[in-house]
Amino acid sequence: IGHAKNETKRLAGLIDNILNISLFGKKSIPVHLEEIEIETTIKEITETHKISTDKKVHYQFTNNTGINLLMADKQLFQQALTNVIDNAIKYSGEDVHIDIICQSDNRHFRIICEDKGEGIASSSLPYVFDKFYRAPGSKAGGIGLGLAVVKGFCEAQGGEVRLETEPGKGCIFTLHLPTETTYINQLKNE
């Protein structure tokens, strides 16, 4: 039963990625903004990943921004963060450590996801956010849509995604979202 649940989750994620990629190919995509409780949503995503893998996954979540509400498309937000976490798990050993850190300044709210996995070769960096790109020799499953969805989500929200990596030392994905998607500006004006 556990294997069937994992496969169902994997297929549902794949379908979501394909649908989202088709939307990101349009000039403008519908973004359905709603309030998202950052901590609750991230904890839901991480708990789902803990039970859907045979690996031992450890998360460290830190949000010292004082912000817990984000205006974003919840489905796209969840899919983007899920894809980053999926990659961290796929490209790590059996004992996975993932740090998720929220930071902010006057211009951006950042969600940083850092792992200690394989990292990505510098030759693949220009292509990792391209649709259907898979690094040469990659042994993990997937069809190369996950990081394209992450990029599409960030851009649809008016932000960007950045990647720092070193082979053998892991990856740091940073989702930069404009502060207009948080309540920072609203709090400043009250």
Side-chain angles (χ1 to χ4, degrees):
I1 291 177
H3 180 69
K5 285 182 182 178
N6 289 343
E7 283 302 300
T8 301
K9 180 186 173 287
R10 186 185 68 78
L11 289 173
L14 180 60
I15 290 167
D16 284 344
N17 281 338
I18 291 169
L19 292 173
N20 289 331
I21 284 297
S22 69
L23 288 175
F24 294 140
K26 297 179 179 181
K27 296 247 184 231
S28 64
I29 66 166
V31 176
H32 306 287
L33 297 179
E34 61 183 290
E35 288 183 358
I36 299 173
E37 290 186 21
I38 298 164
E39 186 169 342
T40 301
T41 304
I42 289 174
K43 286 187 178 181
E44 287 171 357
I45 293 168
T46 57
E47 287 304 312
T48 298
H49 279 84
K50 277 185 181 180
I51 60 173
S52 67
T53 183
D54 294 331
K55 294 182 177 186
K56 190 171 183 178
V57 183
H58 308 276
Y59 293 100
Q60 178 69 44
F61 174 70
T62 307
N63 182 1
N64 294 326
T65 65
I67 299 165
N68 194 39
L69 290 176
L70 178 69
M71 287 299 289
D73 185 303
K74 187 172 185 174
Q75 181 181 353
L76 293 177
F77 174 79
Q78 289 174 320
Q79 191 62 45
L81 193 55
T82 293
N83 290 350
V84 171
I85 292 171
D86 277 345
N87 275 7
I89 293 170
K90 279 188 224 175
Y91 295 101
S92 291
E94 291 302 311
D95 195 25
V96 183
H97 293 271
I98 301 171
D99 293 327
I100 301 171
I101 304 157
C102 296
Q103 297 177 343
S104 66
D105 58 31
N106 289 334
R107 295 180 46 222
H108 293 99
F109 183 81
R110 294 177 298 279
I111 300 169
I112 301 162
C113 187
E114 181 175 354
D115 68 67
K116 307 291 185 233
E118 295 176 12
I120 299 171
S122 59
S123 60
S124 291
L125 288 178
Y127 313 106
V128 295
F129 295 108
D130 292 351
K131 292 182 234 177
F132 304 110
Y133 179 75
R134 298 204 8 97
S138 175
K139 295 176 183 131
I143 59 172
L145 291 176
L147 295 180
V149 168
V150 174
K151 179 182 177 187
F153 161 74
C154 290
E155 290 176 351
Q157 296 282 145
E160 65 179 348
V161 61
R162 294 184 187 161
L163 168 61
E164 298 172 49
T165 184
E166 189 175 332
K169 298 204 176 177
C171 294
I172 302 172
F173 285 91
T174 304
L175 286 65
H176 291 256
L177 303 173
T179 55
E180 291 80 33
T181 62
T182 68
Y183 282 109
I184 292 174
N185 289 339
Q186 183 179 3
L187 293 173
K188 284 181 182 175
N189 295 324
E190 289 181 359

